[in-house]
Amino acid sequence: MGMRVRFKVSIITLLVVMVVLVCGSISMLFLMASSQFSSDIATQSFKSKTDHAVTKVQGLLKMAFSTASVAAQQNDVDQMPQRFIEASQLPLLLELLSQNPSLYSTYYGFANDDFYQVIAVRGDEEILKKHAAPAGTAWIVRAIVNDGERVQRWGFLNKQRQIISTTSDLMPDYNPTQRPWYSAALEAGDVVLSQPYWFNSLKQPGITASGKLYGTDGVFGVDLTLSGLASELAAIEVSDNGVLVLTDAQHNVLASSPAIASDMLMKSLGDMKNAQLQVMGAVWGRLDNQVLQEVAHEGTAYFAEKDMIPFPGTELYLGILAPVQDFSDLFADFHRLILIVSLGSLILFIPISILFSASLSRKVTRLTKAAQKVEHLEFDAARIGATHIVEFDELIQSFSHMSESLSQKTEELQFEQDKLSKLVDLGISLSSEKNTDRLMEGLMRGAKELTNADGCSLYTVNDNRNLEFKIVMNDSLGIASGGTSGNETSLAELVLYHEDGSPNLKHVACYAAIQEETVNIADVYSSDEFDFSGPKAFDESTGYRTGSMLTVPLKPRGGRVIGVLQIINAQDKYGDGFVAFDKDLEPFVEALAAQASTALYNLQLLEGQENLMDALIQLIAGAIDAKSPYTGGHCERVPELAIMLAKEACEADTGSFADFAFETDEEWREYEIGAWLHDCGKVVTPEYVVDKATKLETIYNRIHEVRTRFEVLLRDAQIDMLEAVANGMAQDQAQAAFEEKRQQLFDDFAFVAECNVGGEFMSDEALARLQKIATIQWKRHFDIKLGLSQAEEKRFVSEPDGDCLEYLLADKPFHVFPRADTVHEVYAERGFKLDVPDNLYDQGELYNLSIKRGTLTEEERFKINEHIIQSILMLEQLPLPDHLKRVPEYAGTHHETMIGTGYPRKLDADDLSIPSRIMAIADIFEALTASDRPYKPVKTLSEAVKILSFFKKDQHIDGELFDLFLTSGVYKVYAERFLLPEQLDEVDITPYLG
């Protein structure tokens, strides 16, 4: 017979075992589910922080890099130091600093050690102190010039960019050509990012983005202080014990969060006193680039990541480290709570089982089943039933309460998850929105949905620094004004600051904006904290009842308030009236407002960048038009005509245009930019080539040199006559010989001058006479190598120094400018199929005078055609985003033809898109109708259309597009806008169609 036990003991044992199993199952279930969830959330949270930090630092450095790249293309900068505050580029430099608040200064350095710098003060006392700036200084202009002696001038400007004062000092010790940013940019020939170094003017470390100025040995630079980088990093929170560090390739610390003392900047990670930075230094060598790792140090687990941020000229690293525990403590506390509850339950059940074993046996089955349901997160179990045994009854009630409590907590957690999910969805939706009005409306609808509110208003801070009503929504009244509604808001703006400068804190929206805090009002009629006369007046006029109000400032992370969101009348769940806004919802609304304000700020920033880019593009186009009277207004009018014809092609639904359309604003903008920049390569075409009116013209008309030689020959003939008479020849005989010689010289010079003017065709007889005249000799006495530049000395090396006989007209070695040997290969590699002359220029006198048609040599004609190659090369080297990738195509194909006879790539119809074909028509028609070309008579509209029809006949342009150009009336609309009244005549388009 086996061992026997008492029923009471068996029940107690069974009960204890079951309680242990039930509590253990519940604990294990929650532990397993939450552990994996904890690990995933911790990893995702840390990765989100690292991605944000990398994007932030890359964006800051790319902004400085792009600013230097764009500004380095500016022309006419060499006189800026002399012009000082009157320099024409100063507004552009001020605008660059205003648009990019992280920059410290922008400047130009020149090969003669002239220097021009603009510094943004932004209220920094250290900058004011370093430069002894007067009160109220917002901008500092610094210029160093050699004006007999080196002079350094300082200009101090206020926020309105008005001069406060100027100072100057002699013999400054600052030489830009000796600074690392200068030499690095010249060596690279492009924009580079410097290694960190100490700024001369501020005596603080920083980084410089510098680029070689186009066409000169000067350099443009943009300074970004390490303190500025540190402030950006300080705004990024990793965790309570997390750390971010930015280093150079030698692991020297440039900036960190939390911030370190300034004397520790640019020192090794190993020298850091901060505990977390010391950990970072210890694990740095174990980290793989751009890989999130979990590392251990002295018994502590850390998340860590090291990201390389490469730029030309330098290589930076961003390290991020945080204890894993920072992200998992919340779940650890939850685990402990479950264990405590389970242990407490076990301890409670043991004495009860000992005292009331009989009651336990009747209730254990029900209790076990209920526990099993709880184990499966089912909290709707029926009551187990009451008992007269107090302790067991309390256990039953406790279990029921625990089930109800877990059910309630689960519902609350589900509610929070729903709100969080909604917030995430709204954040994703807002971050992808590119229209400002739709973004603001999405924010308002999301806020109303989160809070179950009836109405919502949104203000933005305008240029006057006041709050301007942008959008108003109210469901009960059916009101929707502002935004995309098409209805203008009639509400007056709110003044943030009174005329005396005091803040307006009586209006709740102004208070929220100024104090940067959320205001929750349960009932505006019961509150005397703010002035609610506006809402009350609105209620009186509409019959509405404004009740609860939640006012939230819109502030992007690290920025200033850009607006205010005001939500009206939270509805109870039965819809019977308004209730106060739940304070638990405030963090969700604030999070939504922060996401939306960041998205809105980014849109405004993007819009500002695009406006700046458009202004620079139009500045370049305007400069090209202003460069020569022969191209005036061309770069401005071609985009207008191209856009007109493109719109007609998009609206057409037949033929080749049936499937063609620019469907987005980005596609239209891409095409417009391509049109504006279609001749940007002309910046490298010398003016004297474009404007060459005579064959001997370079910078000046060299016919004057030839005439001077004829003058010398005439003087020599006079001298010969006088010497002949002195030697006994008869006066009349000598005079007759001189007159014959004199007339021959005048006839020959008149012929040479006529050849210089050029014409339709030069005959072989004329060429023969020109060759004969060229053999006439005259004597040179002076050294031809005196007064030459260094470059000229290299070309004149074969010329004799002293007395010698010279030919009247000659092609000499120094007339030839050889082309770089690599140009042919480079052009061929890029697909350019133009025949490239061996020489860059040939200024030989006979060579130029022998041009049979016009005034241009083969080399000069190529130089003019080469502008399209330069346009393509310039645009293709730009870091264009994906939505602007076709700009080089649109700008660089307007000289191609439908049959492959154009240039520079000899593309044919299969290679040319419809937008490219439109550009060709726009370019030709503008040139035909332009009235500001001094080299040709003004053509009427009908003449221009007729000539353009010849291009269609020769398949130089798209015939179908030409027909659309005529039938749509685009030619007439353009003519009415841009042609002179005397050019406007009737055009019969019938003969040109089909």
Side-chain angles (χ1 to χ4, degrees), residues 242-285:
V243 64
L244 293 92
V245 61
L246 184 67
T247 77
D248 59 14
Q250 289 72 43
H251 309 159
N252 296 318
V253 177
L254 309 181
S256 70
S257 174
I260 59 175
S262 59
D263 60 350
M264 297 301 292
L265 290 176
M266 296 180 70
K267 290 188 177 181
S268 172
L269 268 173
D271 297 332
M272 297 297 103
K273 299 178 181 178
N274 177 279
Q276 295 302 95
L277 284 175
Q278 291 178 352
V279 176
M280 176 67 83
V283 305
W284 187 266

Side-chain angles (χ1 to χ4, degrees), residues 57 191 250 363 438 486 822 827 834 939:
V57 173
V191 179
Q250 289 72 43
K363 300 294 182 180
R438 289 197 295 268
T822 59
Y827 281 4
L834 285 175
K939 288 183 172 59

Side-chain angles (χ1 to χ4, degrees), residues 366-639:
R366 296 181 182 177
L367 185 61
T368 301
K369 291 182 178 179
Q372 289 173 343
K373 286 193 173 185
V374 172
E375 181 181 359
H376 293 88
L377 301 180
E378 298 178 10
F379 305 108
D380 57 347
R383 292 180 59 84
I384 299 173
T387 178
H388 295 293
I389 303 173
V390 175
E391 290 82 1
F392 193 75
D393 189 64
E394 288 178 351
L395 175 60
I396 294 173
Q397 297 300 322
S398 176
F399 188 85
S400 297
H401 292 160
M402 182 183 72
S403 178
E404 292 175 0
S405 177
L406 287 174
S407 176
Q408 182 180 356
K409 293 297 183 183
T410 302
E411 290 179 0
E412 292 176 356
L413 179 60
Q414 185 63 44
F415 174 79
E416 297 294 327
Q417 288 178 334
D418 290 343
K419 291 295 184 185
L420 182 60
S421 176
K422 181 62 179 176
L423 182 62
V424 170
D425 291 341
L426 287 170
I428 294 173
S429 175
L430 293 176
S431 64
S432 62
E433 181 55 65
K434 297 183 179 181
N435 180 277
T436 301
D437 288 335
R438 289 197 295 268
L439 172 62
M440 292 188 292
E441 289 175 351
L443 164 63
M444 297 173 69
R445 284 192 293 269
K448 287 169 71 279
E449 186 174 346
L450 277 174
T451 58
N452 193 28
D454 184 45
C456 191
S457 300
L458 189 138
Y459 310 78
T460 59
V461 179
N462 60 20
D463 294 337
N464 298 324
R465 303 301 301 155
N466 293 330
L467 287 180
E468 178 182 352
F469 271 100
K470 297 299 290 185
I471 305 176
V472 178
M473 294 180 179
N474 189 286
D475 294 342
S476 296
L477 297 177
I479 293 176
S481 60
T484 61
S485 67
N487 302 320
E488 295 293 332
T489 57
S490 59
L491 301 174
E493 66 181 27
L494 304 177
V495 178
L496 285 174
Y497 292 92
H498 300 297
E499 292 182 358
D500 60 0
S502 61
N504 177 15
L505 301 178
K506 291 304 293 180
H507 196 288
V508 64
C510 296
Y511 178 91
I514 294 170
Q515 300 298 115
E516 300 184 3
E517 64 181 54
T518 299
V519 180
N520 192 337
I521 304 295
D523 187 356
V524 299
Y525 283 86
S526 302
S527 173
D528 57 2
E529 184 179 356
F530 299 101
D531 177 10
F532 289 111
S533 58
K536 292 176 182 178
F538 176 81
D539 291 351
E540 184 176 351
S541 63
T542 61
Y544 190 68
R545 172 62 164 87
T546 303
S548 54
M549 179 181 293
L550 184 63
T551 307
V552 184
L554 300 180
K555 180 183 178 183
R557 181 180 292 273
R560 63 185 182 184
V561 172
I562 62 174
V564 172
L565 175 67
Q566 196 169 69
I567 315 171
I568 306 296
N569 283 2
Q571 307 294 300
D572 67 15
K573 57 184 177 181
Y574 302 106
D576 294 335
F578 73 86
V579 295
F581 285 94
D582 188 347
K583 289 189 176 296
D584 291 339
L585 290 176
E586 289 183 18
F588 290 99
V589 178
E590 289 172 344
L592 176 62
Q595 289 178 331
S597 57
T598 299
L600 181 60
Y601 176 77
N602 289 339
L603 277 180
Q604 293 173 344
L605 183 61
L606 179 61
E607 183 179 356
Q609 295 275 2
E610 288 183 348
N611 289 339
L612 176 61
M613 180 179 178
D614 290 344
L616 290 174
I617 289 171
Q618 295 182 21
L619 179 69
I620 293 171
I624 294 170
D625 280 347
K627 181 180 178 183
S628 169
Y630 294 89
T631 59
H634 177 74
C635 291
E636 179 181 354
R637 292 191 288 264
V638 167

Side-chain angles (χ1 to χ4, degrees), residues 74 144 169-170 242 276 281 299 384 400 422 565 669 714 778 822 825 903 928 932 946 962:
Q74 295 297 303
I144 300 177
D169 49 79
L170 298 177
Q276 295 302 95
I384 299 173
S400 297
K422 181 62 179 176
L565 175 67
R669 185 168 183 270
L714 181 61
W778 63 283
T822 59
E825 297 177 1
Y903 64 91
L928 291 174
D932 50 7
K946 182 177 181 180
F962 175 73

